[in-house]
Amino acid sequence: MKKNTLFLSFIICFNTIINAQDHNLTSASLKEQAYISLNNGKYTEARSLYKKACEGFAARGDYLNAVECGLKADSLYVKEYFFKEAFELCRNMDAIILKGEEKENKKLFDLRLLIVKERLRIYMILKNAERAKEQLAIMDEISRQAKNETMNETILNAKANYYFTFGSVAQGINYYDQLINFYHQKGDTEKVAECLKNIATLAEKSNNASLATGIYKQYITWNDSLNRIAATNKLIEIKQIHDETQNLLKKKEDDLSSKQRVIVTLCVLIIILIAALSISIIILLRFVAIIKKQKNNVKIIGEYSQSKSRLLQNISTLMAPALDLLAAYTAKQISGEANQQEKISTQIDSLRRFYNDIQELSLLENSLDEPYELINYDVTKLCKDVANKARPHVKQGVDFQVNAFKIEIKMNPEQLDRILTHLLKNAAFHTETGKISLDFKKKGAHIHEFIVTDTGCGIPEELRENIFKPFTEIKDLTKGDGLGLPICSLIAKKMNGELTLNMTKTGSQFVLKLYT
């Protein structure tokens, strides 16, 4: 039941998102079409499209675009003297803003100011001074609540236009003066000039010739002062360039003096370097002599290692016929003593295995620079074959798991089989309870791991460091010669890999990493 509810909720949310995106696309398209109709003089069509776009934007919570489109439609109503419809549309936009404020839990003062400004414009066209003045008071209250100084520009403009429209020229000029001071503080000279032009235009419309003349004179004076300021700034700029040039020349002279000092210093350094180089050459010659001596020592060590390998091979070769003769003689001498014969036979077999392992170890050491041939081979088949060989050795009650996915990688199947079989048999021998696992993991594009983990007795800490080194422990050969892991490690190296030991809380973990 819960799953069905979650699924239905997901479908509803998804459809809501898709519908919102489609709605937004439609509203934007309507706005664009309205703009085209307006430019083509189709005012009625443009007004209808702007209204629909306003409704669409409001439905999806885009209140800024909604108000913008609503104001466009409203201005088209006013253009055709449909004042009743214009006021109705303003009321609709008030409702949209109120809904937005409730939804967003904050006041949208900027949008409210735009609607009040539009009502003021309509009342001024209707010459309704009282209602227009009410709108100015509302604008002041919005500015006070918003605590936003950027609204001052809009409000001062509105008040100046209001007083000029209704004949209070002195008050209108007063607000324009405040607006000019506002632009002065911001350093916006273009806006100051624009204000002066607006006052002159309003003075002409109100047939106030003296005011228009005075404002034009003020505008010309302002323009001249701007030109003087620009010329002064140009002179200051030229002076700055001159000063910068003088400073640059002085800096170059200083740089030249510095360079002369640097040249002298460099000459001294060169002399010191020549002396140091001579000493370095002497040291280098001594170092070369030491390296030559070390190379000779390495050569002697290599020859010794080869001699050791040959000695091991000779010992193994000599041991083989001796062991055969010893086995035959022993069988003949104690043929009637079955227990004694079995014990001696076991020891001889252990010696024979020891001799075989010594030979293989020697061959592997001498051929490490001759890597095995690698082919693409199925990992799951290899793991299955290895598991089949190891499973008979797993004790009853021990869980044996193989975790490998189907993939082909470059490997030498025969040698990899040898390593994994040896590791699994070792794990089976030392694990009485718990589990044994063979895992395959892909660690990168060309890195793969075979991991053998058991919950057996583990490896004593004093033996871990040398577990992959041969002849580090004296053992009873009937219990193993200790050469299995060193041989596996060398085989791994010849496959461009490495065999490592990780100790777990219970048991051991061997990791065979292949770089393919």
Side-chain angles (χ1 to χ4, degrees):
M1 184 67 181
K2 288 182 178 179
K3 288 184 178 178
N4 291 336
T5 305
L6 287 171
F7 179 73
L8 287 172
S9 300
F10 172 76
I11 293 297
I12 291 167
C13 290
F14 181 77
N15 287 334
T16 303
I17 293 169
I18 295 299
N19 290 335
Q21 290 176 342
D22 291 343
H23 206 109
N24 184 39
L25 182 62
T26 304
S27 302
S29 177
L30 288 169
K31 181 180 177 182
E32 187 176 349
Q33 291 174 28
Y35 177 77
I36 294 170
S37 298
L38 183 62
N39 286 341
N40 292 332
K42 299 177 181 179
Y43 301 125
T44 304
E45 181 181 310
R47 185 179 66 224
S48 175
L49 290 169
Y50 273 127
K51 284 180 68 178
K52 289 179 181 178
C54 171
E55 292 167 2
F57 282 124
R60 69 175 298 273
D62 189 348
Y63 303 110
L64 178 62
N65 270 310
V67 170
E68 182 185 341
C69 291
L71 290 174
K72 291 282 188 183
D74 199 83
S75 66
L76 290 171
Y77 272 131
V78 174
K79 186 179 182 68
E80 298 181 66
Y81 302 103
F82 296 142
F83 297 109
K84 180 180 178 182
E85 289 81 355
F87 283 122
E88 180 65 26
L89 185 54
C90 285
R91 285 192 290 274
N92 291 341
M93 285 188 285
D94 283 336
I96 289 171
I97 294 171
L98 181 61
K99 184 179 178 182
E101 289 176 337
E102 291 173 352
K103 186 175 180 181
E104 298 185 9
N105 197 26
K106 66 176 183 180
K107 293 289 186 180
L108 303 176
F109 293 113
D110 290 339
L111 298 184
R112 284 192 173 279
L113 188 69
L114 292 175
I115 305 303
V116 176
K117 182 182 175 184
E118 177 63 12
R119 282 200 179 94
L120 172 65
R121 187 177 74 89
I122 297 171
Y123 285 128
M124 286 171 64
I125 292 171
L126 293 172
K127 301 299 182 182
N128 190 334
E130 185 178 347
R131 297 304 298 273
K133 195 168 186 178
E134 288 176 4
Q135 304 309 308
L136 289 177
I138 294 172
M139 291 174 80
D140 284 333
E141 179 61 21
I142 290 173
S143 176
R144 186 188 66 78
Q145 291 181 15
K147 298 177 181 179
N148 186 349
E149 292 184 0
T150 58
M151 292 182 177
N152 290 342
E153 178 182 354
T154 302
I155 295 172
L156 288 172
N157 251 315
K159 288 182 176 179
N161 288 332
Y162 168 81
Y163 285 113
F164 265 106
T165 300
F166 292 105
S168 299
V169 176
Q171 286 180 286
I173 291 174
N174 176 50
Y175 282 110
Y176 263 120
D177 285 340
Q178 291 182 41
L179 193 61
I180 289 170
N181 288 333
F182 175 79
Y183 289 134
H184 265 306
Q185 291 174 5
K186 289 177 64 178
D188 193 341
T189 55
E190 291 183 3
K191 286 286 186 179
V192 172
E194 185 180 329
C195 280
L196 292 172
K197 283 184 179 179
N198 288 341
I199 297 171
T201 303
L202 290 169
E204 287 179 356
K205 286 182 179 179
S206 60
N207 296 319
N208 193 331
S210 60
L211 175 62
T213 304
I215 294 299
Y216 274 123
K217 286 181 179 179
Q218 187 178 348
Y219 174 72
I220 292 168
T221 304
W222 168 255
N223 229 9
D224 290 342
S225 67
L226 285 181
N227 291 333
R228 283 196 297 274
I229 291 169
T232 304
N233 290 339
K234 189 68 177 176
L235 287 173
I236 292 170
E237 185 181 342
I238 292 170
K239 187 177 184 305
Q240 286 176 344
I241 293 171
H242 176 266
D243 292 342
E244 287 174 3
T245 304
Q246 292 297 322
N247 291 333
L248 185 62
L249 288 172
K250 187 176 183 304
K251 186 178 178 182
K252 286 187 175 181
E253 289 177 359
D254 294 340
D255 287 344
L256 186 59
S257 300
S258 299
K259 285 177 181 178
Q260 289 175 345
R261 289 193 294 271
V262 169
I263 290 169
V264 173
T265 305
L266 284 174
C267 290
V268 173
L269 285 174
I270 289 170
I271 294 169
I272 294 171
L273 286 173
I274 290 171
L277 184 61
S278 302
I279 296 169
S280 299
I281 290 171
I282 295 169
I283 294 171
L284 182 61
L285 290 173
R286 291 186 62 187
F287 182 72
V288 168
I290 293 169
I291 292 294
K292 187 175 180 182
K293 186 177 179 181
Q294 288 178 343
K295 282 184 177 179
N296 189 43
N297 290 338
V298 170
K299 183 179 178 183
I300 292 169
I301 291 169
E303 290 173 354
Y304 169 75
S305 178
Q306 290 177 1
S307 299
K308 181 196 76 171
S309 297
R310 284 196 297 273
L311 176 62
L312 289 174
Q313 288 175 354
N314 290 337
I315 290 171
S316 299
T317 304
L318 291 172
M319 280 176 65
L323 287 172
D324 292 337
L325 288 172
L326 180 59
Y329 176 75
T330 303
K332 183 178 178 182
Q333 291 295 316
I334 57 173
S335 56
E337 302 175 17
N339 291 337
Q340 190 69 13
Q341 184 179 359
E342 183 181 352
K343 183 178 179 181
I344 293 173
S345 178
T346 301
Q347 291 176 343
I348 291 171
D349 289 340
S350 299
L351 279 170
R352 187 175 283 112
R353 280 196 303 273
F354 184 50
Y355 130 74
N356 288 332
D357 287 346
I358 287 174
Q359 275 199 323
E360 183 169 13
L361 187 69
S362 178
L363 288 170
L364 287 170
E365 284 181 341
N366 291 329
S367 62
L368 277 177
D369 57 347
E370 300 172 10
Y372 289 124
E373 182 182 353
L374 305 179
I375 61 171
N376 283 323
Y377 198 80
D378 186 4
V379 170
T380 52
K381 185 178 185 311
L382 175 79
C383 290
K384 184 178 178 182
D385 292 343
V386 170
N388 289 337
K389 292 177 184 178
R391 191 167 278 111
H393 300 274
V394 177
K395 296 178 178 63
Q396 189 173 2
V398 176
D399 183 22
F400 182 33
Q401 297 179 358
V402 177
N403 303 305
F405 54 91
K406 188 172 181 62
I407 185 176
E408 285 191 357
I409 65 171
K410 284 192 174 294
M411 67 170 84
N412 186 301
E414 180 183 352
Q415 299 300 333
L416 191 53
D417 184 297
R418 283 186 63 192
I419 296 175
L420 295 178
T421 300
H422 181 81
L423 294 175
L424 287 171
K425 284 182 178 180
N426 270 2
F429 181 77
H430 292 97
T431 305
E432 301 293 335
T433 59
K435 71 174 183 178
I436 299 171
S437 63
L438 170 60
D439 298 290
F440 171 77
K441 293 183 180 179
K442 184 178 176 67
K443 288 294 185 179
H446 302 285
I447 303 174
H448 305 89
E449 287 183 352
F450 291 88
I451 305 168
V452 176
T453 309
D454 64 61
T455 57
C457 58
I459 298 168
E461 188 172 353
E462 65 272 11
L463 299 179
R464 294 173 196 169
E465 185 177 355
N466 298 319
I467 196 168
F468 297 113
K469 297 178 183 178
F471 311 118
T472 57
E473 182 184 6
I474 299 173
K475 298 182 66 175
D476 182 352
L477 292 180
T478 59
K479 296 180 181 179
D481 53 24
L483 297 179
L485 288 176
I487 287 173
C488 288
S489 178
L490 291 174
I491 292 172
K493 289 178 181 177
K494 283 172 69 70
M495 284 193 295
N496 193 26
E498 59 178 342
L499 182 60
T500 57
L501 169 67
N502 291 338
M503 292 308 297
T504 58
K505 291 182 180 179
T506 57
S508 306
Q509 185 181 79
F510 286 91
V511 180
L512 173 58
K513 186 176 290 187
L514 295 180
Y515 302 93
T516 58

